[in-house]
Amino acid sequence: MADQGFVISVLAAAITAGTPILYAALGELVTERAGILNLGVEGIMLVGAVSGFIAAVAFESSWIGLAAALLAGGMVALIHAFLTITLRANQTVCGLALTLFGTGLSGYLGKAYIGMPVPQPFVAQSLPFLSGIPFIGPIMFNHDILVYLSYLLAPLLWLFLTRTRPGLHLRALGENPAAADALGINVFFLRYLYVCIGGMLCGVGGAYLSLAYAPSWLENMTAGRGWIAVALVIFALWSPLRAMVGSYLFGGIDALGFYLQVKGVTLSPFFLTMLPYIFTIVALVAVMARRGGKLAAPGALGLPYDRESR
């Protein structure tokens, strides 16, 4: 029973730790499906985290904090959209610049809030009936509302991409924007829209850290999760459902380090901290090797679209 309790604790913690990565990965997935590479996920998550935290403290409401994180993530992503879609700037360089910008901006805005608690953080709430299911219940149905929303978001996004006409248009933007334009699809407007939606989801991923996972603000509190989310999109082969599984897998590796320390396993804490990042590299190498170096990336990913050059 003790071992089962340990397994349940680790798996439940994997879901909690994987949720911010899942939100960010889904945001990046939507962006890349539209043909825009955004390496600024880490910076957008930090801006979302600090914006959500400041708004939650000011209005004493985590829901207002969440709305602020959505808005802030969308606004930062809008900068990326303007640079890469309108000005056709290099998407890799813009993404890296956005990460530096988000890191600096969040550090400046959050300086006065370091160490403060959130007045009303999102807390775990057991779902009636479902939380009583043996083994599965305590793992999946004893979390906060943002975790439950993420359960719905990934399958809904998969349905949107594979079963709806707007989803088909989104995939066309990333595969062949010239053909989509010829069919009357407004490539520029939709790319702006999906880049902003992707940024909003990344902002929620950051807000989850400051409003639920560790309800406080710490500088650089994303600790590289944005980069893991970018890698996870490749690992998941641009599928929302695979991204969901991968997020919990990465979250499990992250949580396992903590639980091994609690169990008294004599491993260096630095090695345990490195585990998620080591696993990220190993997973990417494994995916690349399995597919012979050929990934199912959108055909026009990272390429600026010039209507005049059709």
PDB file of all heavy atoms in Angstrom, residues 54-77:
ATOM      1  N   ILE A  54       0.698  40.067 -10.546  1.00  0.00           N
ATOM      2  CA  ILE A  54       0.451  41.462 -10.153  1.00  0.00           C
ATOM      3  C   ILE A  54      -1.048  41.756 -10.147  1.00  0.00           C
ATOM      4  O   ILE A  54      -1.574  42.384  -9.211  1.00  0.00           O
ATOM      5  CB  ILE A  54       1.202  42.422 -11.097  1.00  0.00           C
ATOM      6  CG1 ILE A  54       2.709  42.287 -10.898  1.00  0.00           C
ATOM      7  CG2 ILE A  54       0.763  43.861 -10.873  1.00  0.00           C
ATOM      8  CD1 ILE A  54       3.538  43.057 -11.918  1.00  0.00           C
ATOM      9  N   ALA A  55      -1.757  41.291 -11.195  1.00  0.00           N
ATOM     10  CA  ALA A  55      -3.206  41.542 -11.258  1.00  0.00           C
ATOM     11  C   ALA A  55      -3.941  40.804 -10.144  1.00  0.00           C
ATOM     12  O   ALA A  55      -4.894  41.337  -9.550  1.00  0.00           O
ATOM     13  CB  ALA A  55      -3.741  41.110 -12.618  1.00  0.00           C
ATOM     14  N   ALA A  56      -3.498  39.581  -9.844  1.00  0.00           N
ATOM     15  CA  ALA A  56      -4.145  38.807  -8.776  1.00  0.00           C
ATOM     16  C   ALA A  56      -3.966  39.481  -7.420  1.00  0.00           C
ATOM     17  O   ALA A  56      -4.881  39.484  -6.585  1.00  0.00           O
ATOM     18  CB  ALA A  56      -3.580  37.395  -8.739  1.00  0.00           C
ATOM     19  N   VAL A  57      -2.791  40.072  -7.194  1.00  0.00           N
ATOM     20  CA  VAL A  57      -2.540  40.776  -5.929  1.00  0.00           C
ATOM     21  C   VAL A  57      -3.348  42.076  -5.888  1.00  0.00           C
ATOM     22  O   VAL A  57      -3.962  42.414  -4.853  1.00  0.00           O
ATOM     23  CB  VAL A  57      -1.027  41.080  -5.775  1.00  0.00           C
ATOM     24  CG1 VAL A  57      -0.780  42.034  -4.605  1.00  0.00           C
ATOM     25  CG2 VAL A  57      -0.258  39.787  -5.571  1.00  0.00           C
ATOM     26  N   ALA A  58      -3.380  42.798  -7.001  1.00  0.00           N
ATOM     27  CA  ALA A  58      -4.067  44.096  -7.027  1.00  0.00           C
ATOM     28  C   ALA A  58      -5.570  43.952  -6.835  1.00  0.00           C
ATOM     29  O   ALA A  58      -6.197  44.759  -6.133  1.00  0.00           O
ATOM     30  CB  ALA A  58      -3.771  44.807  -8.344  1.00  0.00           C
ATOM     31  N   PHE A  59      -6.153  42.940  -7.459  1.00  0.00           N
ATOM     32  CA  PHE A  59      -7.614  42.776  -7.401  1.00  0.00           C
ATOM     33  C   PHE A  59      -8.053  41.647  -6.468  1.00  0.00           C
ATOM     34  O   PHE A  59      -9.244  41.370  -6.354  1.00  0.00           O
ATOM     35  CB  PHE A  59      -8.158  42.513  -8.812  1.00  0.00           C
ATOM     36  CG  PHE A  59      -7.990  43.673  -9.750  1.00  0.00           C
ATOM     37  CD1 PHE A  59      -6.899  43.746 -10.604  1.00  0.00           C
ATOM     38  CD2 PHE A  59      -8.907  44.715  -9.760  1.00  0.00           C
ATOM     39  CE1 PHE A  59      -6.726  44.821 -11.473  1.00  0.00           C
ATOM     40  CE2 PHE A  59      -8.749  45.800 -10.622  1.00  0.00           C
ATOM     41  CZ  PHE A  59      -7.654  45.851 -11.477  1.00  0.00           C
ATOM     42  N   GLU A  60      -7.071  40.979  -5.850  1.00  0.00           N
ATOM     43  CA  GLU A  60      -7.347  39.853  -4.930  1.00  0.00           C
ATOM     44  C   GLU A  60      -8.233  38.812  -5.593  1.00  0.00           C
ATOM     45  O   GLU A  60      -9.174  38.297  -4.995  1.00  0.00           O
ATOM     46  CB  GLU A  60      -7.970  40.366  -3.631  1.00  0.00           C
ATOM     47  CG  GLU A  60      -7.047  41.291  -2.852  1.00  0.00           C
ATOM     48  CD  GLU A  60      -7.589  41.632  -1.476  1.00  0.00           C
ATOM     49  OE1 GLU A  60      -8.736  41.263  -1.198  1.00  0.00           O
ATOM     50  OE2 GLU A  60      -6.845  42.233  -0.688  1.00  0.00           O
ATOM     51  N   SER A  61      -7.927  38.521  -6.842  1.00  0.00           N
ATOM     52  CA  SER A  61      -8.687  37.519  -7.597  1.00  0.00           C
ATOM     53  C   SER A  61      -7.747  36.821  -8.585  1.00  0.00           C
ATOM     54  O   SER A  61      -7.154  37.476  -9.444  1.00  0.00           O
ATOM     55  CB  SER A  61      -9.850  38.165  -8.356  1.00  0.00           C
ATOM     56  OG  SER A  61     -10.381  37.250  -9.303  1.00  0.00           O
ATOM     57  N   SER A  62      -7.627  35.519  -8.455  1.00  0.00           N
ATOM     58  CA  SER A  62      -6.771  34.764  -9.374  1.00  0.00           C
ATOM     59  C   SER A  62      -7.374  34.706 -10.770  1.00  0.00           C
ATOM     60  O   SER A  62      -6.654  34.569 -11.762  1.00  0.00           O
ATOM     61  CB  SER A  62      -6.538  33.349  -8.836  1.00  0.00           C
ATOM     62  OG  SER A  62      -5.703  33.400  -7.707  1.00  0.00           O
ATOM     63  N   TRP A  63      -8.704  34.785 -10.866  1.00  0.00           N
ATOM     64  CA  TRP A  63      -9.331  34.781 -12.186  1.00  0.00           C
ATOM     65  C   TRP A  63      -8.981  36.044 -12.966  1.00  0.00           C
ATOM     66  O   TRP A  63      -8.753  35.990 -14.174  1.00  0.00           O
ATOM     67  CB  TRP A  63     -10.848  34.628 -12.059  1.00  0.00           C
ATOM     68  CG  TRP A  63     -11.253  33.234 -11.692  1.00  0.00           C
ATOM     69  CD1 TRP A  63     -11.717  32.799 -10.483  1.00  0.00           C
ATOM     70  CD2 TRP A  63     -11.209  32.072 -12.536  1.00  0.00           C
ATOM     71  NE1 TRP A  63     -11.965  31.444 -10.519  1.00  0.00           N
ATOM     72  CE2 TRP A  63     -11.668  30.975 -11.772  1.00  0.00           C
ATOM     73  CE3 TRP A  63     -10.823  31.857 -13.854  1.00  0.00           C
ATOM     74  CZ2 TRP A  63     -11.748  29.687 -12.298  1.00  0.00           C
ATOM     75  CZ3 TRP A  63     -10.898  30.567 -14.381  1.00  0.00           C
ATOM     76  CH2 TRP A  63     -11.359  29.507 -13.607  1.00  0.00           C
ATOM     77  N   ILE A  64      -8.954  37.195 -12.272  1.00  0.00           N
ATOM     78  CA  ILE A  64      -8.514  38.420 -12.949  1.00  0.00           C
ATOM     79  C   ILE A  64      -7.031  38.305 -13.313  1.00  0.00           C
ATOM     80  O   ILE A  64      -6.601  38.765 -14.377  1.00  0.00           O
ATOM     81  CB  ILE A  64      -8.776  39.645 -12.055  1.00  0.00           C
ATOM     82  CG1 ILE A  64     -10.288  39.845 -11.885  1.00  0.00           C
ATOM     83  CG2 ILE A  64      -8.135  40.906 -12.637  1.00  0.00           C
ATOM     84  CD1 ILE A  64     -10.675  40.998 -10.996  1.00  0.00           C
ATOM     85  N   GLY A  65      -6.267  37.677 -12.442  1.00  0.00           N
ATOM     86  CA  GLY A  65      -4.854  37.430 -12.758  1.00  0.00           C
ATOM     87  C   GLY A  65      -4.704  36.581 -14.005  1.00  0.00           C
ATOM     88  O   GLY A  65      -3.850  36.848 -14.860  1.00  0.00           O
ATOM     89  N   LEU A  66      -5.558  35.563 -14.122  1.00  0.00           N
ATOM     90  CA  LEU A  66      -5.503  34.701 -15.301  1.00  0.00           C
ATOM     91  C   LEU A  66      -5.846  35.487 -16.569  1.00  0.00           C
ATOM     92  O   LEU A  66      -5.199  35.322 -17.617  1.00  0.00           O
ATOM     93  CB  LEU A  66      -6.473  33.533 -15.123  1.00  0.00           C
ATOM     94  CG  LEU A  66      -6.463  32.472 -16.222  1.00  0.00           C
ATOM     95  CD1 LEU A  66      -5.133  31.728 -16.240  1.00  0.00           C
ATOM     96  CD2 LEU A  66      -7.613  31.482 -16.030  1.00  0.00           C
ATOM     97  N   ALA A  67      -6.866  36.352 -16.457  1.00  0.00           N
ATOM     98  CA  ALA A  67      -7.246  37.183 -17.612  1.00  0.00           C
ATOM     99  C   ALA A  67      -6.102  38.116 -17.997  1.00  0.00           C
ATOM    100  O   ALA A  67      -5.828  38.338 -19.187  1.00  0.00           O
ATOM    101  CB  ALA A  67      -8.503  37.990 -17.271  1.00  0.00           C
ATOM    102  N   ALA A  68      -5.413  38.663 -16.997  1.00  0.00           N
ATOM    103  CA  ALA A  68      -4.273  39.544 -17.277  1.00  0.00           C
ATOM    104  C   ALA A  68      -3.150  38.784 -17.959  1.00  0.00           C
ATOM    105  O   ALA A  68      -2.491  39.309 -18.870  1.00  0.00           O
ATOM    106  CB  ALA A  68      -3.770  40.167 -15.973  1.00  0.00           C
ATOM    107  N   ALA A  69      -2.935  37.541 -17.545  1.00  0.00           N
ATOM    108  CA  ALA A  69      -1.889  36.722 -18.176  1.00  0.00           C
ATOM    109  C   ALA A  69      -2.242  36.408 -19.621  1.00  0.00           C
ATOM    110  O   ALA A  69      -1.370  36.420 -20.503  1.00  0.00           O
ATOM    111  CB  ALA A  69      -1.705  35.425 -17.383  1.00  0.00           C
ATOM    112  N   LEU A  70      -3.517  36.138 -19.869  1.00  0.00           N
ATOM    113  CA  LEU A  70      -3.975  35.902 -21.237  1.00  0.00           C
ATOM    114  C   LEU A  70      -3.696  37.122 -22.111  1.00  0.00           C
ATOM    115  O   LEU A  70      -3.152  37.015 -23.221  1.00  0.00           O
ATOM    116  CB  LEU A  70      -5.479  35.614 -21.232  1.00  0.00           C
ATOM    117  CG  LEU A  70      -5.938  34.170 -21.044  1.00  0.00           C
ATOM    118  CD1 LEU A  70      -7.431  34.135 -20.755  1.00  0.00           C
ATOM    119  CD2 LEU A  70      -5.635  33.345 -22.277  1.00  0.00           C
ATOM    120  N   LEU A  71      -4.072  38.291 -21.596  1.00  0.00           N
ATOM    121  CA  LEU A  71      -3.894  39.535 -22.344  1.00  0.00           C
ATOM    122  C   LEU A  71      -2.414  39.832 -22.578  1.00  0.00           C
ATOM    123  O   LEU A  71      -1.994  40.174 -23.695  1.00  0.00           O
ATOM    124  CB  LEU A  71      -4.554  40.688 -21.585  1.00  0.00           C
ATOM    125  CG  LEU A  71      -4.510  42.057 -22.252  1.00  0.00           C
ATOM    126  CD1 LEU A  71      -5.270  42.022 -23.578  1.00  0.00           C
ATOM    127  CD2 LEU A  71      -5.105  43.127 -21.338  1.00  0.00           C
ATOM    128  N   ALA A  72      -1.617  39.669 -21.523  1.00  0.00           N
ATOM    129  CA  ALA A  72      -0.180  39.975 -21.638  1.00  0.00           C
ATOM    130  C   ALA A  72       0.495  39.025 -22.614  1.00  0.00           C
ATOM    131  O   ALA A  72       1.312  39.451 -23.449  1.00  0.00           O
ATOM    132  CB  ALA A  72       0.476  39.884 -20.260  1.00  0.00           C
ATOM    133  N   GLY A  73       0.154  37.736 -22.534  1.00  0.00           N
ATOM    134  CA  GLY A  73       0.743  36.771 -23.467  1.00  0.00           C
ATOM    135  C   GLY A  73       0.380  37.090 -24.902  1.00  0.00           C
ATOM    136  O   GLY A  73       1.223  37.018 -25.804  1.00  0.00           O
ATOM    137  N   GLY A  74      -0.884  37.473 -25.118  1.00  0.00           N
ATOM    138  CA  GLY A  74      -1.318  37.843 -26.462  1.00  0.00           C
ATOM    139  C   GLY A  74      -0.612  39.086 -26.972  1.00  0.00           C
ATOM    140  O   GLY A  74      -0.244  39.170 -28.147  1.00  0.00           O
ATOM    141  N   MET A  75      -0.397  40.066 -26.091  1.00  0.00           N
ATOM    142  CA  MET A  75       0.254  41.311 -26.504  1.00  0.00           C
ATOM    143  C   MET A  75       1.723  41.078 -26.889  1.00  0.00           C
ATOM    144  O   MET A  75       2.215  41.620 -27.884  1.00  0.00           O
ATOM    145  CB  MET A  75       0.176  42.347 -25.373  1.00  0.00           C
ATOM    146  CG  MET A  75      -1.225  42.860 -25.090  1.00  0.00           C
ATOM    147  SD  MET A  75      -1.961  43.725 -26.497  1.00  0.00           S
ATOM    148  CE  MET A  75      -0.940  45.185 -26.552  1.00  0.00           C
ATOM    149  N   VAL A  76       2.417  40.260 -26.094  1.00  0.00           N
ATOM    150  CA  VAL A  76       3.826  39.977 -26.424  1.00  0.00           C
ATOM    151  C   VAL A  76       3.905  39.194 -27.734  1.00  0.00           C
ATOM    152  O   VAL A  76       4.777  39.443 -28.582  1.00  0.00           O
ATOM    153  CB  VAL A  76       4.506  39.200 -25.276  1.00  0.00           C
ATOM    154  CG1 VAL A  76       5.938  38.840 -25.656  1.00  0.00           C
ATOM    155  CG2 VAL A  76       4.511  40.030 -24.000  1.00  0.00           C
ATOM    156  N   ALA A  77       2.982  38.248 -27.902  1.00  0.00           N
ATOM    157  CA  ALA A  77       2.970  37.478 -29.153  1.00  0.00           C
ATOM    158  C   ALA A  77       2.648  38.381 -30.344  1.00  0.00           C
ATOM    159  O   ALA A  77       3.117  38.132 -31.461  1.00  0.00           O
ATOM    160  CB  ALA A  77       1.952  36.338 -29.046  1.00  0.00           C
TER     161      ALA A  77
END
